[in-house]
Amino acid sequence: MEARLPNAKTIALAIGAAFSALSLQAQANPISVDARYSLGGGSEITEPTLTGSNVDYYLWKDTPGGNSVFFHTYGYESGGQANFGARSSGEGVFTAWSRVSYSTLVDVTGTQAVNFDFRVDNTELAFYNAFIGQTGSTRLELVISIDGTELTREDIRLDLAATGTITCTDAGSGQLDSYIECPPSALASISQNSRDFSADLGIRTSDFTLQYDIIATVSGNMLGGTECSSYGEFVEDGYGNGAVQFGNVVEQQPQFAAATVDDEDVILIPVFGCSPGQAIARSGDPNNFSFANPGPQQLVIPADNASPFAITQRNVGNPVPEPSSIALAGLALAGLAAARRRKPG
């Protein structure tokens, strides 16, 4: 029976399979946001977890004596675009932790080299209005995990001692560790501009779960100066386009307001001279938020600041021969057949 070369359709299908891109199982809620905090040395409070494909969580809490925390942590992913950010900040005596987590199941057929393309937004770790005798800590983590095992992380931290000394620690590893570095000499703040990453997830032969986390953590005992006399609370959570206003609680999005009975109480503005120390850790959230500003303070809208986002695959098992190689193999086979026909009997 005469051997047949692969036809054009077969070659086209094979080449298409060799360079397949993004294979994800659709998930209804790939993004989750968590937060917890404490004020004035009190018990830690854990906020409910929010999930979805567009989650935008912002919260401000304070107590008498100048203790406050503020979060703005969010995630958005749709149509090859995404935006993730986490901000925790506080003043006075406080702890604050927030995390945005993206998790998805990646389908893999055959042997694939997999890459994760995403953007890390501008980053800041800082202490403000710090006095001798105050202590604090601010930390930012970026973590990529495969099936629950950490692959790479950025882990940068500033610590404020009571002597006024600030130390920086970089405990990152792998590809993400290059994003932000400790400065040669300790500073009260460090920052980094946005950067695009293409993280190598290695050679994969079976489906796996990819998880990407941004975690912002701050804590402090930073009371000092004239103590604040105001107190109250303002809580909103929901999807974007929010504004925080402190003179009088204005619910610009009442459908997203937390259902606590005292959210509608008037919040007094801090008196002049109120100046507890503050700590902030953030990736994203470029809003210049201030506890002391009584006017509306617009929050960044995640969907309006999205950037390219993809998980790509390249087939590296059983590579498909190029058409020129197939043609050469055909000529060789034809030559062998002709030689056999000419061979004496």
Side-chain angles (χ1 to χ4, degrees):
M1 182 176 180
E2 186 178 337
R4 298 180 60 190
L5 295 176
N7 60 36
K9 181 178 180 181
T10 303
I11 294 172
L13 289 173
I15 292 173
F19 294 96
S20 62
L22 186 59
S23 180
L24 303 179
Q25 291 189 4
Q27 291 179 252
N29 298 307
I31 298 166
S32 62
V33 169
D34 300 280
R36 57 180 184 260
Y37 67 93
S38 67
L39 290 168
S43 300
E44 186 173 74
I45 297 171
T46 299
E47 292 294 310
T49 298
L50 301 179
T51 62
S53 59
N54 181 8
V55 181
D56 187 10
Y57 181 63
Y58 35 101
L59 175 149
W60 176 55
K61 290 277 190 177
D62 77 346
T63 61
N67 308 309
S68 301
V69 291
F70 176 73
F71 301 98
H72 186 206
T73 300
Y74 52 85
Y76 166 83
E77 187 268 325
S78 179
Q81 298 282 310
N83 187 15
F84 302 101
R87 172 184 176 136
S88 299
S89 51
E91 62 177 3
V93 179
F94 61 91
T95 65
W97 176 96
S98 68
R99 174 183 64 187
V100 57
S101 181
Y102 173 83
S103 180
T104 190
L105 181 63
V106 181
D107 288 334
V108 176
T109 301
T111 303
Q112 304 284 338
V114 185
N115 277 69
F116 177 32
D117 301 324
F118 62 101
R119 174 171 295 174
V120 177
D121 275 344
N122 50 22
T123 291
E124 177 188 19
L125 295 94
F127 299 108
Y128 295 105
N129 299 328
F131 294 95
I132 299 296
Q134 297 178 352
T135 58
S137 177
T138 173
R139 181 183 182 187
L140 182 72
E141 300 166 81
L142 312 171
V143 185
I144 295 176
S145 302
I146 302 292
D147 291 332
T149 299
E150 185 177 298
L151 179 69
T152 178
R153 73 160 45 227
E154 178 61 279
D155 189 343
I156 193 84
R157 173 175 178 152
L158 293 179
D159 287 289
L160 170 68
T163 59
T165 301
I166 296 175
T167 57
C168 179
T169 305
D170 186 349
S173 63
Q175 301 164 74
L176 284 176
D177 187 33
S178 64
Y179 173 59
I180 186 170
E181 306 289 344
C182 286
S185 57
L187 301 173
S189 66
I190 57 175
S191 60
Q192 183 60 275
N193 293 329
S194 300
R195 178 176 164 186
D196 292 327
F197 277 88
S198 184
D200 180 1
L201 303 186
I203 304 299
R204 301 289 162 181
T205 58
S206 60
D207 298 354
F208 65 90
T209 298
L210 167 68
Q211 183 168 323
Y212 172 50
D213 297 327
I214 304 177
I215 306 167
T217 308
V218 292
S219 63
N221 187 341
M222 303 183 70
L223 287 177
T226 303
E227 286 208 346
C228 303
S229 61
S230 68
Y231 66 94
E233 63 180 30
F234 171 69
V235 184
E236 259 191 318
D237 49 49
Y239 297 99
N241 201 28
V244 176
Q245 179 163 330
F246 292 150
N248 210 321
V249 174
V250 178
E251 299 284 6
Q252 295 196 357
Q253 293 179 289
Q255 68 272 31
F256 298 138
T260 51
V261 296
D262 55 347
D263 279 349
E264 303 301 327
D265 292 346
V266 171
I267 296 174
L268 301 176
I269 300 303
V271 297
F272 180 77
C274 172
S275 57
Q278 302 174 4
I280 177 174
R282 69 174 178 90
S283 174
D285 184 39
N287 179 55
N288 186 23
F289 174 85
S290 169
F291 287 101
N293 183 359
Q297 301 182 65
Q298 194 68 32
L299 302 176
V300 64
I301 301 172
D304 289 352
N305 294 272
S307 56
F309 177 85
I311 301 166
T312 58
Q313 301 184 31
R314 178 174 55 85
N315 194 323
V316 294
N318 299 320
V320 178
E322 295 185 4
S324 58
S325 300
I326 294 172
L328 288 173
L331 290 174
L333 289 172
L336 286 173
R340 291 187 62 183
R341 284 197 296 270
R342 290 196 300 269
K343 186 176 179 180

